Amino acid sequence: MPYHPSAEAQKLIDRLVGDGSAEQPWAGKPLPKHVAIIMDGNGRWAGDRGLPRIEGHREGIQSVRAVAQACRKLEIPYLTLYAFSTENWKRPRTEIAALMKLLRDFLKEEIPEMLENRIRLDSIGNIKKLPLYVQHQLSKTSRATKAGDMMQLTLALSYGSRDEITQAVKKIARKTVQGKIKESQITQELVSEHLFTAGMPDPDLMIRSSGELRVSNYLLWQIAYAEIHVTPVLWPDFRDIHFYQAILDYMGRDRRFGKVRSK
Ligand code: IPE
Ligand code: IPE
Ligand code: MG
């Protein structure tokens, strides 16, 4: 379905990338290249309505669609969504099973939309831990959308940053022992190249919904200098408008990267 922003959303888009007539105190500053989101609050959303938690996850998929459209609209090339953490395996089996089915259906149903919008789907995490039927759909969807050159939508699945860093250390250690790399060649860039996110720019902006002030083992290395936007909105209520608000918040920030303020 083509995306038609509401009048309210269009106003925010105009403020962000508008014709120059709108108030744009950040004029000349680039939009973020990579936005990472911790999609949180599905269970509370359902609980508030007396519904089972899975209904929150189901509605959360509508938020994923809305955010992908909003991100694509701004031509932001990377969107990375935290969909399932290594720690989430400790949830009840019934919730995990329902989540996996929702994930498979999403991956299947979204292919036409992704093709239409030149979006390629990718994933990071311990993918081999996922049920086989999810792994199959994941590779099918990734293959089908491979040519998408406008935006990379990355799902973090069975993802944990400490797990990712540990795996990178192991790979580097192995190569060092085999004599393929010297200790002096172990740089920050080399470490980055051994993470699941190799080849992707680091996130400029990290958004967390549902008000929690923590990073829950998400992209710890990569967010070293990301701006953080936390909103109290629960993920199933999160829509394009909230995404644009987060980008506006980001545009107003003064990113110093440890240096003194640039005039
Ligand atoms: C986020 O919502 C979705 C996943 C972690 C899979 P939660 O399920 O964590 O919802 P809350 O935090 O319990 O409200
Ligand atoms: C983080 O949310 C993981 C995902 C969004 C997939 P959690 O709900 O699992 O995190 P905590 O438990 O609040 O830290
Ligand atoms: Mg949560």
Side-chain angles (χ1 to χ4, degrees):
M1 256 197 303
Y3 170 52
H4 298 295
S6 63
E8 200 188 345
Q10 189 60 51
K11 255 191 227 158
L12 293 178
I13 298 168
D14 289 344
R15 280 190 68 193
L16 283 163
V17 293
D19 54 9
S21 58
E23 189 204 344
Q24 292 172 310
W26 50 84
K29 267 198 191 178
L31 282 166
K33 263 199 167 135
H34 183 176
V35 178
I37 307 184
I38 302 177
M39 311 185 287
D40 197 19
N42 295 354
R44 277 162 282 171
W45 184 92
D48 289 348
R49 286 161 180 76
L51 297 169
R53 291 176 58 85
I54 189 65
E55 292 309 319
H57 298 315
R58 200 187 303 283
E59 187 59 26
I61 292 185
Q62 299 308 322
S63 312
V64 170
R65 290 203 175 98
V67 162
Q69 286 173 329
C71 192
R72 174 66 181 78
K73 177 87 185 164
L74 294 180
E75 300 190 0
I76 293 172
Y78 293 91
L79 176 65
T80 303
L81 304 177
Y82 205 3
F84 195 84
S85 74
T86 45
E87 289 73 23
N88 290 151
W89 288 114
K90 294 176 197 139
R91 293 192 177 197
R93 274 170 57 182
T94 45
E95 181 174 346
I96 296 175
L99 263 171
M100 293 299 152
K101 287 208 177 70
L102 282 177
L103 173 62
R104 190 261 322 263
D105 294 347
F106 169 80
L107 289 167
K108 203 169 169 179
E109 286 160 15
E110 286 315 291
I111 295 177
E113 179 85 16
M114 288 193 256
L115 289 176
E116 172 127 344
N117 290 295
R118 291 157 60 182
I119 297 173
R120 66 181 179 280
L121 184 107
D122 204 353
S123 57
I124 52 173
N126 210 337
I127 303 303
K128 293 214 159 63
K129 268 196 85 177
L130 300 171
L132 275 178
Y133 73 90
V134 175
Q135 291 188 44
H136 286 153
Q137 189 58 52
L138 200 52
S139 44
K140 257 193 192 168
T141 305
S142 304
R143 251 183 288 126
T145 60
K146 207 168 64 195
D149 57 354
M150 285 303 289
M151 182 179 127
Q152 178 171 319
L153 171 61
T154 305
L155 299 182
L157 296 168
S158 188
Y159 175 88
S161 199
R162 289 186 165 190
D163 178 42
E164 175 184 41
I165 293 169
T166 308
Q167 288 198 38
V169 170
K170 281 188 185 164
K171 281 184 230 158
I172 294 170
R174 208 174 304 131
K175 287 186 190 171
T176 312
V177 170
Q178 291 167 346
K180 288 184 184 153
I181 48 174
K182 297 196 202 87
E183 188 192 320
S184 60
Q185 290 173 310
I186 304 176
T187 58
Q188 294 187 15
E189 289 71 29
L190 186 102
V191 174
S192 293
E193 281 163 26
H194 286 79
L195 299 174
F196 297 136
T197 50
M200 290 163 68
D202 286 340
D204 302 292
L205 170 64
M206 163 132 113
I207 301 172
R208 184 164 188 149
S209 61
S210 91
E212 236 64 79
L213 299 176
R214 53 178 173 260
V215 288
S216 303
N217 204 9
Y218 192 40
L219 302 172
L220 301 181
W221 171 279
Q222 298 89 333
I223 59 165
Y225 265 102
E227 295 295 325
I228 299 176
H229 173 91
V230 177
T231 169
V233 175
L234 302 176
W235 182 250
D237 288 327
F238 198 101
R239 287 297 180 265
D240 56 350
I241 213 108
H242 306 107
F243 184 81
Y244 297 131
Q245 281 165 355
I247 305 289
L248 273 168
D249 180 18
Y250 168 86
M251 296 303 269
R253 304 276 179 92
D254 181 24
R255 299 186 81 189
R256 290 192 291 280
F257 299 99
K259 298 180 265 186
V260 292
R261 188 186 193 146
S262 53
K263 297 248 163 51

